[in-house]
Amino acid sequence: DAGVIQSPRHEVTEMGQEVTLRCKPISGHNSLFWYRQTMMRGLELLIYFNNNVPIDDSGMPEDRFSAKMPNASFSTLKIQPSEPRDSAVYFCASTYFGGGAEAFFGQGTRLTVV
Amino acid sequence: KNQVEQSPQSLIILEGKNCTLQCNYTVSPFSNLRWYKQDTGRGPVSLTIMTFSENTKSNGRYTATLDADTKQSSLHITASQLSDSASYICVVRPTGGNNRLAFGKGNQVVVIP
């Protein structure tokens, strides 16, 4: 398996534009997580899905953020409208829910909003 | 207050030397504690995992310890190499059906020749 695949790797956009980040989890995993990482706050959980169903979205900053998981092999994180303070690295991770299963991370998407 | 605190925030060590990173957590009860290594520009990768009943776990030159009574863990790097330059993140998984991991902010390690 190629691991968790995220796209794009880098995104530069103007304030106010819509941004869509994409994630393909590892085949067979049934939990998917979206994280945001900044120097100040480290890794923060935004939302996670079990079996394609959002379980905990309390980390989503505000209504400008939305996430979907239409099937077991694809998820999106959308920011609309984007703001400069959204600039960060966004990671997607997947795991098999249960016990001490390891969460495997993608390479991340570095988002810069100017 | 963050449930996982790591120290030092950053350190610089000479190649070949040892170092120890600290993790204090308040998550209780917990299922397991992992140390992840995150290279610059990449996602975190798991180094070690310890359950509540384990005291130590090694992975090559990396040795993690756990004291569940004091809620402390450490990661010891032996004979550091330039490739050890990375951020090391302590992650605690709570028990129960909650899949919400608690992350520390990481220890940034720079190994210099």
Side-chain angles (χ1 to χ4, degrees), chain A residues 31-57:
Chain A
S31 287
L32 181 142
F33 307 79
W34 281 102
Y35 291 93
R36 177 171 66 179
Q37 186 177 41
T38 61
M39 287 292 291
M40 289 295 295
R41 301 172 71 90
L43 274 162
E44 300 175 283
L45 177 66
L46 299 176
I47 184 171
Y48 80 88
F49 298 82
N50 280 351
N51 297 314
N52 314 337
V53 176
I55 302 300
D56 183 352
D57 65 354

Side-chain angles (χ1 to χ4, degrees), chain A residues 22-88:
Chain A
R22 298 173 176 80
C23 175
K24 181 180 187 305
I26 292 174
S27 177
H29 284 181
N30 59 1
S31 287
L32 181 142
F33 307 79
W34 281 102
Y35 291 93
R36 177 171 66 179
Q37 186 177 41
T38 61
M39 287 292 291
M40 289 295 295
R41 301 172 71 90
L43 274 162
E44 300 175 283
L45 177 66
L46 299 176
I47 184 171
Y48 80 88
F49 298 82
N50 280 351
N51 297 314
N52 314 337
V53 176
I55 302 300
D56 183 352
D57 65 354
S58 59
M60 296 286 261
E62 48 200 88
D63 292 345
R64 296 184 299 106
F65 285 68
S66 62
K68 294 182 180 179
M69 192 164 186
N71 56 63
S73 59
F74 184 67
S75 177
T76 60
L77 177 69
K78 184 176 294 186
I79 308 173
Q80 165 65 18
S82 58
E83 298 181 1
R85 60 192 169 121
D86 301 330
S87 297

Side-chain angles (χ1 to χ4, degrees), chain B residues 4 21 50 53 57-58 61 63 71 73 80 84-85 92 96 99 103 113:
Chain B
V4 181
L21 313 176
M50 288 178 292
S53 59
K57 185 69 68 75
S58 290
R61 295 180 296 101
T63 299
K71 295 185 173 58
S73 177
S80 60
D84 294 330
S85 296
V92 183
N99 224 0
F103 285 82

